[in-house]
Amino acid sequence: MRIEYEPKLDFKDVLLRPKRSTLGSRANVDLVREYRFRHAPLRRPSVPIIAANMDTVGTFEMARALARHKLHCALHKHHALADLVAFFSPENRAENAYTFYSLGILEADLAKFEKVWSKTGGAIEWVCIDVANGYTEAFVDFVRRFRERYPSVALMAGNVVTSDMTEALILAGVDIVKVGIGPGSVCTTRKMTGVGYPQLSAIIECADAAHGLGGQICGDGGCTVPGDVVKAFGGGADFVMLGGMLAAHDESGGELEERDGRVYRRFYGMSSAEAMEKYAGGVARYRASEGKSVVLEARGPVEDTVQEILGGLRSACTYVGARKLKDLSRCTTFVRVGQQINEVYGRS
Ligand code: 5GP
């Protein structure tokens, strides 16, 4: 047994120190980034925020709404084959240009992907291979095989939280390593297994490892307010994935519930009993659910939330003197804060 004593940080443990700057207006801040990927030849400028591949977030409607702002959406894994083929058709490029096709590592997942790929003439540009635990050899082997077969796609895969595994994945063919174990708003992995890693430190450490190899990372999970998205980018994330912050909108799907004159939408983790009931016929005997189900007040169109997030990012960039989102990490100095920040968030 070993203990690491070096402090590890979550978003709530820091603030960004304001800096003098020559920036006139937040309207001048450029949030679009164009990455050069380590493996894929794809070059597509975008705002590097991704809706999570959860079935009450990563919907076709969400992809269309976010694409209008050049934001990404990772579709959830359970869309019907015919719908995926229609969505990814080359004629539909305006809507699908920023959308990730998500899959797991089962042979059935691969077979479904292959069908969509061939029926659309290879029109898929972004792929997300997603497992809860990115530390298994089977996962790395799958990723390697997938990359050999599909050299053109921008490939995101995870989840991991440490630099060793970030490097291993990039060397196996991943362009964007998805980082986060346990920080999700409807995730119970930390409670059920005791496993996890404070998310801001995971981002900082994995970004450092990835950038050294010409790779990128996506901070996945734990953002609850626009300021957390700022901190993720400030810590070095190239992309940031959002579940809860984009849930409960008109485009998110999820059942509507009415109570006392108010409208709510159900939002649940993809490993929750609810999701497993829906897609796998229940929780298998050998495993426990690692996600929960919540109801959130319905929030209307996602457009308003997007504006709020982008507004927060632009404002943060002017506070620290970053003309572009690209410069935010370089301009970031985090100040460690103690208990008092929890009052800002209203958290205990
Ligand atoms: P959020 O933005 O809601 O904090 O986090 C979203 C992320 O939580 C997802 O992208 C995914 O990585 C993770 N997640 C989604 N469902 C589950 C689940 O049921 N269990 C766990 N452990 N993580 C989940």
Side-chain angles (χ1 to χ4, degrees):
M1 193 278 289
R2 273 188 60 210
I3 301 182
E4 284 183 28
Y5 287 101
E6 190 194 327
K8 302 288 176 190
L9 304 170
D10 258 318
F11 297 129
K12 66 177 170 40
D13 299 320
V14 300
L15 290 169
L16 276 81
R17 174 193 209 125
K19 291 183 181 157
R20 290 168 72 165
S21 97
T22 54
L23 271 173
S25 156
R26 66 189 69 175
N28 300 334
V29 174
D30 183 7
L31 298 180
V32 171
R33 295 216 54 181
E34 183 177 354
Y35 289 109
R36 191 179 286 276
F37 295 114
R38 162 144 179 158
H39 303 281
L42 181 69
R43 300 293 293 272
R44 191 179 292 290
S46 68
V47 178
I49 292 175
I50 310 173
N53 51 315
M54 302 170 74
D55 74 349
T56 45
V57 183
T59 61
F60 293 123
E61 294 73 25
M62 183 65 76
R64 290 188 189 103
L66 296 185
R68 282 183 220 121
H69 296 274
K70 297 189 175 174
L71 266 67
H72 298 267
C73 177
L75 295 175
H76 66 73
K77 298 174 192 170
H78 306 288
H79 288 292
L81 182 89
D83 296 340
L84 288 164
V85 171
F87 183 80
F88 281 108
S89 91
E91 298 84 66
N92 205 14
R93 188 55 91 209
E95 290 186 351
N96 67 33
Y98 306 98
T99 307
F100 286 81
Y101 180 108
S102 308
L103 72 160
I105 60 168
L106 299 175
E107 284 309 315
D109 295 327
L110 187 58
K112 186 174 168 190
F113 177 82
E114 279 167 351
K115 281 191 189 134
V116 181
W117 179 264
S118 66
K119 282 178 192 285
T120 56
I124 300 167
E125 293 183 334
W126 307 83
V127 172
C128 167
I129 302 178
D130 183 47
V131 294
N133 172 8
Y135 283 78
T136 67
E137 224 154 283
F139 171 63
V140 183
D141 286 347
F142 184 93
V143 163
R144 190 175 291 114
R145 277 192 289 133
F146 191 90
R147 167 55 81 200
E148 279 165 14
R149 214 126 128 203
Y150 301 101
S152 68
V153 302
L155 182 58
M156 174 161 75
N159 279 20
V160 301
V161 284
T162 50
S163 52
D164 55 335
M165 226 34 219
T166 299
E167 287 164 2
L169 287 174
I170 289 172
L171 295 176
V174 173
D175 294 301
I176 309 162
V177 176
K178 202 145 76 76
V179 173
I181 292 184
S185 56
V186 283
C187 162
T188 56
T189 294
R190 290 176 184 175
K191 274 193 186 143
M192 292 303 295
T193 68
V195 175
Y197 210 92
Q199 182 66 355
L200 180 61
S201 285
I203 287 173
I204 293 170
E205 293 169 26
C206 295
D208 188 47
H211 295 163
L213 289 174
Q216 272 87 31
I217 69 144
C218 172
D220 174 22
C223 292
T224 57
V225 289
D228 292 341
V229 181
V230 171
K231 292 172 188 176
F233 282 121
D238 304 284
F239 292 81
V240 175
M241 182 171 265
L242 303 175
M245 283 182 74
L246 297 178
H249 292 88
D250 296 349
E251 296 83 354
S252 317
E255 288 153 40
L256 282 171
E257 291 175 26
E258 214 175 320
R259 266 190 249 155
D260 310 325
R262 292 185 158 189
V263 185
Y264 297 84
R265 275 184 194 272
R266 188 157 284 282
F267 172 52
Y268 47 85
M270 293 313 289
S271 308
S272 63
E274 186 152 347
M276 287 196 260
E277 206 65 59
K278 195 166 166 188
Y279 296 115
V283 182
R285 280 181 71 92
Y286 61 87
R287 62 183 291 186
S289 138
E290 286 180 27
K292 63 183 177 186
S293 177
V294 296
V295 282
L296 304 173
E297 199 158 344
R299 297 180 189 156
V302 76
E303 172 77 26
D304 299 345
T305 302
V306 167
Q307 292 302 346
E308 210 172 273
I309 295 169
L310 301 187
L313 264 174
R314 285 201 186 90
S315 184
C317 285
T318 57
Y319 270 116
V320 300
R323 208 165 281 280
K324 299 174 178 168
L325 182 58
K326 183 172 190 249
D327 302 331
L328 179 57
S329 170
R330 208 165 35 79
C331 296
T332 293
T333 302
F334 284 125
V335 194
R336 262 215 81 177
V337 290
Q339 205 46 40
Q340 73 270 29
I341 193 170
N342 291 323
E343 288 159 24
V344 176
Y345 281 85
R347 303 201 272 238
S348 55

